[in-house]
Amino acid sequence: MSTATTRDAMPRGPVLADLLPAAGAGRAGVRDVALVLGGAALTGVAAQLAVPVPGSPVPVTGQTFAALLVGTALGARRGALALAFYTAAGVCGLPWFAQGASGAALPTFGYLLGLVLAAAVTGALARRGGGRRPLGTAGVMVLGSVCVYAVGVPYLALALHLSLSKALALGAVPYLAGDALKAALAMLTIPTAWHLLERTGD
């Protein structure tokens, strides 16, 4: 199958952010900057909703859910930029990582890098309609979470000198139920947002 045929089979469409007005001609760039900064700020605020997990250096936070929502709503480019800005600002000292942390010397830093990847992946899937229906939205959230773990867990293993199985037990398994809840919440919120914005547009 040719590349052109593959692209035709997976058409690209708008994401939620594309439905927002740009406040006049030539203002799309200003809107995009505001969306990127807003996505980073939302993730930073959500990261402060943190609950420590006994025996694990990885707390339960709202930042993963926020990052996946940002990617799905903004699209791959803006979503990844928002999470990259969030990570870079935290590395530079802004205390908006989980539990008010900052800097790169964190055993959980790999999860932050995974959030950038997850935002890009969920955004790309959203461009192909992945966030418009409940089941599709749940699938997007699951794949985004897999991206976070795919980077975060090996980084945790290296940072703490753990085996991969031990890192999985500490940094992934305790959070699977929470991931299911996040997927369920996304199934409600994102398709509902599409419905409301499309009705407003009509």
Side-chain angles (χ1 to χ4, degrees), residues 45-108:
V45 171
Q48 307 318 305
L49 303 173
V51 178
V53 175
S56 174
V58 185
V60 173
T61 75
Q63 72 178 354
T64 301
F65 185 55
L68 298 181
L69 287 180
V70 167
T72 304
L74 270 59
R77 180 178 61 85
R78 290 176 299 212
L81 283 173
L83 271 297
F85 179 81
Y86 167 70
T87 302
V91 168
C92 291
L94 187 62
W96 63 354
F97 293 160
Q99 299 173 311
S102 62
L106 300 168
T108 55

Side-chain angles (χ1 to χ4, degrees), residues 31-153:
R31 179 195 62 185
D32 287 350
V33 170
L35 289 170
V36 167
L37 295 179
L42 174 64
T43 307
V45 171
Q48 307 318 305
L49 303 173
V51 178
V53 175
S56 174
V58 185
V60 173
T61 75
Q63 72 178 354
T64 301
F65 185 55
L68 298 181
L69 287 180
V70 167
T72 304
L74 270 59
R77 180 178 61 85
R78 290 176 299 212
L81 283 173
L83 271 297
F85 179 81
Y86 167 70
T87 302
V91 168
C92 291
L94 187 62
W96 63 354
F97 293 160
Q99 299 173 311
S102 62
L106 300 168
T108 55
F109 188 71
Y111 292 91
L112 297 170
L113 300 178
L115 292 178
V116 180
L117 174 62
V121 170
T122 56
L125 292 172
R127 284 272 178 216
R128 290 163 174 81
R132 298 197 184 195
R133 298 291 181 269
L135 288 180
T137 300
V140 170
M141 295 296 109
V142 169
L143 288 174
S145 295
V146 168
C147 291
V148 177
Y149 291 130
V151 181
V153 171

